[in-house]
Each structure stands twice: as structure tokens, then as C-alpha cells.
Amino acid sequence: MKRWSLVAFSLAALGSVPVRAASNDVAFTPSREDFPNPERGFYRAGGSDLAQTDRAFFDRVFADGYRLVYARVDLSRFRTTPISAAYLAAMDQGFQAARSAGVKLIVRAVYNYPQGETGYQAAQDAALPIVLGHLAQLKPLLARNVGVIAYVQAGFIGAWGEWHTSSNDLTTTATRARIRDAILDAVPADRFVQFRYPPDLDHWTAPVMPSLGQTLAGGLRTGFHNDCFLASQTDVGTFPEEAEPREKLQARMANLTALAPFGGETCNPADDLGAISRSDCADVVRESARYHLTYLNADYYRGLFHDRWKSQGCLDEVSRRMGYRLVLTGARVAPEARRGSALRVDVTVSNEGWARIYNRRTVEVVLVRKIDRKAYRIPVDADPRSWLPGVTATTPLRVPLPPTMEPGVYDIALALPDPAKELAHDPRYAIRFANADAPVRNQRWAPIVGAYFVGLKVTVR
């Protein structure tokens, strides 16, 4: 079914785009600006509980340039009982506050959050029937708010929800698998769930990783989060002590993170006896590329890591390259088209980030008539999740022009809005291309539209 969206904008709002000589192809200027984009980058932690996080906090996070927030779901008072209706309602309000502020969430449900280096040993989680019951209660809430969920960290089991030190024997192989399946069922099917330990992920994806095509079709939903990234040879117990199995598992996780999202935080190397941290710029750039780093805690253990990256001159690069970074390098269009026909627009995109887009994303061609700035937003059949890091590729876009479209000369823009119904027309959730404005070529980012004008025009007859 063809779908078109007609939106009228004033000339004052969109700005005047000068008339230029007819041309059917154009080049672009990349930008080095470190601008925020959805579902990637440094994240901020949202306090002790999503149910107690208000709009003011999310607004401050957005104003400071962050687009991801770690959202803890504190189930400590429900270790032996169902989740109360009041708490579920408060969680819903937390999701709404994030949506209103323009940010997305990394969600983890936990039964404890111990402080200090030894408190985790006495941490309490819940019995298996309670865990499964809580997941059933959370399922409709997660479905209702999936638009503002970037990723889900598995949680529930053990200290900090990190799948170790369970007080209810939840870490057996069979129980891990049962809780994994219940989490994957509770989380909407188009969201990844990240797990803490590589041996689990290796076992679940053995012997052969899915292909990219299989992953895009929903054949893989389990990703990896590392809460001691770069902290020691083993990342403080994340990987084995012995060199050979460690290197094998690291290679497997590098392959997995090409398909599924990877993120987390650094931690205290002192937690690992004889640790040698990898805190130099060469370390973070090399390993972020290897593991396709998408997000990282902006605040935790800054002294040894973030501050060192700043002093050595790579912090800005880390910030820019986490996740995807899409740069338009070329575009071509036929100078004329007829209403009711298909207009072809070829766009060449280079992904200069360390990772790909992991969640579904709509591609739209926006056509804006010069004489009155009337705009048509036309979805096209393209999947930007396949724009891989380090790859430059040309994607042909077939743009079905409405038969009722008014004739005229149209400027062409490209948009990557969020597919969620409630976010699709919110430009704060649109992906911005990493291209500089070039007025002489009529190229610019239009923030009120959430689209980049590519400097091409087409005459519709």
C-alpha cells in the first residue's frame, strides 16, 4: 500500500532555498561536528528508579546534548509479591517523561543495587516464579512504550541484575535459559536484549552466527553489554583468565556485536587482582571499533578513562564515532518526473561510526514545492540498518509520487524519522546526517523538518 504524508510549512519556517541551475547529481561536505543522535553515544544514568525520574531530569539531559538515559527499574520491594498497580503506573509516567523530553532509554530491571566492593555478596534477588510473574506484568507496559526504549539489558538475576551471585539459584544453565526466553517474550520483538556474560551468548549463538539478513528479519535479538569495558585483561571477570579461551570468546563477541548492539561502562580495575587497564586512546579507539561500541556511561569511572582520553586528545572522536555516523557523499536524481510515477533518487552514504543502526528506522524522501513550501513526506523501501560501519554504498530509492501531487519544482530532502507512530513526526527523534550546511549548493539540515536538503530539485509534471 502506498502512503504519503502531505505537510504544509511556511517559507519563513523552512527558509528560502535559492534557485540553482538544473543538475541531476551533487556532492556533499562532511561535518566533524559532534551532534547528538538517537539511540547512540554517551548516556546519563537516570537516578535510582525510572518510576521516580521526572521530566525535569530528562529535559536537563537533552539540553546537555545526551539522547540516551540508563533507566533502572527497581523491583527490590517486590521480591516476594507481584508488582503493584501504583508502581506500574509510575513507570508509565517515567516513560512518558522521557518521550516528552526527546530521549530514549536503556532499561534494566533489578532486585538490588548494592554499594561498595563487597555488598554484592549479600544481594537478594527473587525466586523464579516471582521473576516470571513480574515479566508477564511488565510485558504490556514495555509494548506500550517501545518507542522510547532503545535497548533492554537483561537484568533480574543476581547482584545489579548482572547474572551472577544469585540468592535464589537463578544462574543454573536451565534457569538462565528459561528467564532469557521470558525476557525475550516480554520485550517487544523489534528490540534487542543485551546480556552480561559472553559464555552465555556464545552458547546461545553456537555454532554459527546468523547472517545480517537473518538478523534484520528478527533471527537474532540477543546482544552484549560489558560493564567493565577496558578495565583489565579479563574486563574484571567478563572474559576467562586463560589466554586462549579468552581470545576465542573475544573474537566471538566481536562478531556478535556486528549484528547486535554493544555498550556498557568502564569500571574499577582494582576489582581484578593484577589488572592492567586499557585506558589509552589507542586502546579505546581500537576496541570500540572491534566491538562496534554504540553507547557508554558518560559518568562512571571518568578519572582513569574519560579524563585520560580527553588529555590524550581522542574523547571527541569517541563521542562522534559511537554507534552509527551517516555521511551523505553523493546523490543523483532525474530532473523531471510525472505524478503517479516512481521517481528514482540514488543516495550514497558512508557510515563513519563504529556500529550500524540496530533498531528499525524509516527512510523518507521529502519533496518541498518551491512556490509555497508545501511538503510531501514519502516513505521508501530502504533499510538503513544495512548501512554498515566503514562501508560506503549507494542505495537506489524508488519514490512513488502521488497521482494527486500538485505540479511544480520541488526541492529534495532526505529524512530518517523514528518509525514509532508517536515519534514519527517529532524531529528530535530523527537521525541527522553528518554533513555540513553548504548554502552555495542549497544543502542544509532543517531541524523543524528533521531532514537534510540535498541540494537537488525535480520538476513534477
Side-chain angles (χ1 to χ4, degrees):
M1 179 181 295
K2 295 179 179 178
R3 296 176 292 120
W4 303 286
S5 177
L6 172 60
V7 186
F9 300 104
S10 70
L11 275 170
L14 274 177
S16 177
V17 179
V19 177
R20 64 191 293 269
S23 175
N24 66 351
D25 63 86
V26 69
F28 297 89
T29 302
S31 170
R32 290 186 58 79
E33 182 180 352
D34 182 15
F35 47 75
N37 253 326
E39 301 175 348
R40 57 154 300 279
F42 282 113
Y43 72 83
R44 300 297 302 275
S48 60
D49 192 356
L50 172 62
Q52 298 177 4
T53 307
D54 60 14
R55 169 74 184 272
F57 171 81
F58 291 125
D59 283 339
R60 289 194 299 271
V61 166
F62 185 92
D64 289 341
Y66 299 95
R67 296 297 180 267
L68 274 176
V69 174
Y70 170 81
R72 187 194 313 173
V73 177
D74 183 1
L75 300 179
S76 58
R77 78 193 96 160
F78 305 112
R79 291 190 190 111
T80 60
T81 65
I83 303 171
S84 70
Y87 185 82
L88 292 171
M91 275 187 65
D92 207 20
Q93 292 175 357
F95 280 119
Q96 176 57 42
R99 184 182 300 112
S100 299
V103 300
K104 291 204 176 191
L105 305 178
I106 304 163
V107 179
R108 188 197 300 185
V110 298
Y111 292 109
N112 57 74
Y113 225 78
Q115 302 298 314
E117 306 302 330
T118 58
Y120 74 91
Q121 296 172 350
Q124 300 291 304
D125 53 20
L128 179 60
I130 294 291
V131 174
L132 298 179
H134 287 171
L135 281 163
Q137 287 185 276
L138 291 170
K139 182 175 181 176
L141 181 66
L142 297 175
R144 190 161 59 248
N145 293 286
V146 63
V148 291
I149 297 173
Y151 314 106
V152 174
Q153 295 181 352
F156 290 98
I157 296 178
W160 302 290
E162 289 193 6
W163 287 51
H164 66 78
T165 325
S166 170
S167 64
N168 282 275
D169 201 25
L170 301 180
T171 54
T172 67
T173 300
T175 303
R176 284 173 184 256
R178 189 168 177 187
I179 293 176
R180 174 205 62 195
D181 292 344
I183 294 171
L184 289 170
D185 178 69
V187 173
D190 60 354
R191 286 299 183 267
F192 282 93
V193 177
Q194 295 174 289
F195 293 82
R196 179 67 180 91
Y197 285 106
D200 292 331
L201 292 161
D202 181 48
H203 176 68
W204 296 336
T205 56
V208 180
M209 292 280 181
S211 67
L212 176 61
Q214 290 169 328
T215 300
L216 296 182
L220 176 69
R221 292 181 56 212
T222 53
F224 173 36
H225 74 95
N226 184 349
D227 287 355
C228 280
F229 185 47
L230 303 171
S232 74
Q233 299 95 317
T234 68
D235 287 348
V236 190
T238 300
F239 293 99
E241 293 282 351
E242 299 79 11
E244 184 176 348
R246 179 172 70 242
E247 292 166 3
K248 181 180 178 181
L249 202 51
Q250 288 170 338
R252 286 280 290 172
M253 292 304 99
N255 291 335
L256 175 65
T257 57
L259 301 170
F262 170 72
E265 62 187 11
T266 58
C267 79
N268 187 354
D271 292 345
D272 196 356
L273 187 63
I276 301 174
S277 66
R278 305 181 304 286
S279 55
D280 288 332
C281 275
D283 299 318
V284 66
V285 170
R286 179 186 65 253
E287 297 205 26
S288 295
R290 184 186 190 193
Y291 293 108
H292 309 90
L293 181 67
T294 287
Y295 66 82
L296 197 67
N297 193 330
D299 299 312
Y300 192 62
Y301 234 76
R302 292 189 60 92
L304 179 59
F305 294 95
H306 305 64
D307 292 349
R308 190 175 183 86
W309 302 336
K310 184 175 181 179
S311 68
Q312 292 185 355
C314 70
L315 183 61
D316 288 344
E317 179 184 1
V318 173
S319 182
R320 281 195 308 269
R321 297 187 66 188
M322 267 191 282
Y324 58 85
R325 185 174 176 86
L326 305 180
V327 181
L328 290 166
T329 62
R332 173 181 289 270
V333 66
E336 294 187 358
R338 292 192 176 278
R339 294 174 291 173
S341 68
L343 170 69
R344 175 166 169 166
V345 181
D346 293 341
V347 295
T348 303
V349 177
S350 177
N351 185 349
E352 297 182 356
W354 284 320
R356 66 180 185 89
I357 297 170
Y358 293 103
N359 294 329
R360 287 191 307 110
R361 179 64 53 164
T362 304
V363 180
E364 291 180 345
V365 172
V366 184
L367 300 175
V368 182
R369 196 161 71 154
K370 283 184 173 292
I371 62 171
D372 57 7
R373 313 312 291 156
K374 186 175 293 183
Y376 293 83
R377 303 185 68 111
I378 304 176
V380 296
D381 185 14
D383 193 343
R385 296 177 299 170
S386 64
W387 296 346
L388 302 180
V391 175
T392 299
T394 299
T395 302
L397 306 178
R398 185 180 180 277
V399 188
L401 302 180
T404 56
M405 188 176 186
E406 298 183 47
V409 178
Y410 285 81
D411 291 308
I412 298 174
L414 191 64
L416 298 175
D418 196 287
K421 182 179 180 180
E422 70 274 17
L423 306 180
H425 299 294
D426 188 335
R428 298 174 302 174
Y429 288 99
I431 289 177
R432 179 174 177 175
F433 290 97
N435 290 93
D437 289 353
V440 70
R441 293 198 296 267
N442 305 335
Q443 295 170 343
R444 65 192 177 86
W445 173 251
I448 67 164
V449 186
Y452 186 83
F453 282 87
V454 300
L456 293 174
K457 61 183 179 181
V458 61
T459 299
V460 177
R461 301 190 185 282

